[in-house]
């Protein structure tokens, strides 16, 4: 049998298998179409329309909405904030989760309790956690303010950590890392527990120490888990509105905003549904670009099945 006929036979078989599976996957496809494709289509359509504050379509706007967003004086700064926000939260979360997963993989007294405790930030409401942090840093009566003052780290109780763009943004990054740790840690821990003891024993027999075993044996096997955690963290962090809305939403101007919070302000404060739709499309494009660049540059799945 020639190679070309073999390829044609495989394609025909694959197409037939797809047709047989279609009745089973059709509900999922319809759900994706209704939940993802249709809203995305409406968003793209609205981004090219001129829409009033009360939602009345006044006709085509062409690319004017995109031009108004991109030429806004705050666009460059907000884009930089978004980059810092996504990269810092994702990278620090992955690094801390790798260390935490390595710790939780070891047998020690009370490990089950510690594992349950790690879930708490994920199980709790993000808004509740963020609000707790916000009020703990309030001038005069915040308990963290009082603790820092009692320990001598601050000269007075009037420091407004969440009243200024830079400190508020840094606090928001810390909260985002805190609430992202449980999911990321357990994703990496699941990948770590799938590594057989024979692989570790083989590395030990070859003379590899704990550090070399981790970086040369364990870490490469964690590529799929790390890739999954990184991709989901990028999407979640990029679209994370509650943390920044609670911690920096009252700060005047847009110095502590990312594209997602800026989009919210466009709708809530300015009533520009059309501008917000254009920014949503830009947001979506940036997310796709970041994930593609991550996959191309880092190559997280390279060598996994080799």
């Amino acid at each position: 049998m020639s190679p070309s006929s073999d390829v044609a036979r495989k394609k025909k078989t694959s197409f037939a298998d797809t047709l047989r599976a279609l009745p089973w996957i059709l509900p999922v496809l319809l759900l994706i179409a209704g939940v993802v494709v249709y809203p995305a289509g409406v968003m793209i359509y609205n981004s090219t329309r001129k829409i009033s504050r009360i939602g009345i379509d006044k006709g085509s706007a062409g690319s004017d909405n995109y031009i108004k967003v991109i030429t806004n004086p705050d666009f460059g700064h907000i884009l930089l904030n978004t980059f810092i926000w996504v990269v810092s939260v994702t990278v620090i979360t992955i690094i801390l989760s790798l260390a935490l997963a390595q710790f939780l993989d070891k047998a020690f007294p009370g490990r089950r309790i510690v594992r349950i405790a790690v879930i708490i930030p994920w199980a709790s409401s993000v808004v509740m956690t963020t609000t707790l942090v916000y009020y703990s840093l309030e001038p005069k009566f915040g308990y963290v303010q009082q603790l820092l003052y009692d320990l001598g780290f601050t000269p007075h109780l009037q420091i407004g950590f969440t009243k200024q763009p830079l400190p508020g943004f840094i606090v928001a990054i810390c909260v985002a890392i805190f609430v992202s740790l449980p999911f990321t840690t357990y994703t990496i821990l699941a990948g770590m527990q799938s590594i057989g003891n024979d692989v570790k024993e083989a590395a030990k027999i070859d003379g590899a120490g704990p550090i070399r075993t981790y970086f040369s044996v364990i870490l490469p096997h964690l590529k799929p888990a790390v890739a999954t955690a990184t991709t989901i963290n990028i999407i979640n962090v990029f679209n994370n509105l509650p943390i920044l809305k609670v911690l920096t939403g009252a700060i005047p101007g847009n110095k502590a905003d990312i594209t997602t919070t800026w989009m919210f302000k466009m709708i809530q404060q300015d009533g520009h549904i059309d501008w917000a739709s254009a920014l949503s499309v830009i947001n979506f494009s940036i997310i796709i670009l970041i994930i593609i660049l991550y996959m191309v540059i880092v190559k997280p799945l390279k060598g996994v099945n080799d």
Side-chain angles (χ1 to χ4, degrees):
M1 183 179 293
S2 64
S4 59
S5 61
D6 187 48
V7 171
R9 182 179 60 81
K10 288 182 178 180
K11 287 183 177 180
K12 185 177 180 180
T13 303
S14 177
F15 181 71
D17 291 341
T18 302
L19 287 180
R20 283 195 293 269
L22 189 58
W24 302 99
I25 64 175
L26 185 59
V28 177
L29 295 177
L30 292 175
L31 181 63
I32 293 173
V35 176
V36 179
V37 178
Y38 175 72
V42 172
M43 177 184 68
I44 295 171
Y45 177 76
N46 287 342
S47 70
T48 62
R49 311 296 294 178
K50 186 177 181 180
I51 303 174
S52 70
R53 181 183 290 268
I54 60 175
I56 298 176
D57 190 337
K58 295 184 176 181
S60 175
S63 59
D64 287 350
N65 295 328
Y66 292 94
I67 294 173
K68 288 175 181 176
V69 169
I70 294 173
T71 57
N72 189 292
D74 292 327
F75 180 72
H77 180 75
I78 290 173
L79 207 59
L80 178 61
N81 280 356
T82 305
F83 176 79
I84 294 172
W85 169 257
V86 173
V87 172
S88 60
V89 173
T90 303
V91 171
I92 297 174
T93 299
I94 293 295
I95 293 173
L96 292 178
S97 296
L98 283 168
L100 192 55
Q102 179 72 12
F103 171 70
L104 293 177
D105 191 47
K106 305 297 183 183
F108 58 88
R111 181 175 67 169
R112 181 175 298 179
I113 297 175
V114 174
R115 286 187 173 185
I116 294 174
V118 171
I119 301 177
I120 293 175
W122 175 78
S124 303
S125 166
V126 174
V127 175
M128 181 188 73
T129 303
T130 310
T131 304
L132 181 64
V133 172
Y134 177 81
Y135 283 111
S136 71
L137 293 171
E138 278 290 275
K140 294 185 180 180
F141 61 83
Y143 64 86
V144 173
Q145 286 269 13
Q146 185 67 51
L147 177 63
L148 293 175
Y149 175 75
D150 291 342
L151 294 175
F153 290 111
T154 56
H156 50 76
L157 296 174
Q158 304 293 330
I159 299 176
F161 290 102
T162 58
K163 308 302 180 183
Q164 304 171 52
L166 183 57
F169 196 68
I170 293 174
V171 171
I173 288 175
C174 294
V175 174
I177 293 170
F178 177 72
V179 300
S180 300
L181 276 175
F183 167 79
T184 310
T185 298
Y186 271 90
T187 301
I188 294 174
L189 182 61
M192 189 171 291
Q193 292 184 337
S194 68
I195 303 173
N197 289 327
D198 54 339
V199 176
K200 301 175 185 178
E201 291 296 330
K204 187 181 295 185
I205 292 173
D206 289 339
I211 296 177
R212 186 175 177 183
T213 300
Y214 182 80
F215 285 99
S216 300
V217 178
I218 296 177
L219 202 55
H221 281 80
L222 291 177
K223 279 185 176 182
V226 172
T228 301
T230 301
T231 304
I232 293 177
N233 269 307
I234 289 173
I235 296 172
N236 286 342
V237 172
F238 202 101
N239 293 298
N240 200 316
L241 175 64
I243 294 175
L244 285 167
K245 180 66 176 66
V246 172
L247 289 174
T248 64
I251 298 176
N254 299 315
K255 290 187 178 180
D257 280 327
I258 63 172
T259 52
T260 305
T261 56
W262 189 33
M263 178 173 56
F264 181 83
K265 287 182 177 180
M266 283 183 180
I267 298 174
Q268 187 183 50
Q269 298 178 5
D270 305 326
H272 288 298
I273 301 173
D274 42 9
W275 294 11
S277 297
L279 184 56
S280 297
V281 176
I282 295 173
N283 252 9
F284 180 74
S285 303
I286 292 174
I287 292 175
I288 297 299
L289 179 61
I290 290 175
I291 292 174
I292 290 174
L293 288 175
Y294 169 73
M295 291 296 180
V296 171
I297 296 174
V298 180
K299 296 181 176 63
L301 300 180
K302 183 179 179 182
V304 172
N305 297 318
D306 292 350

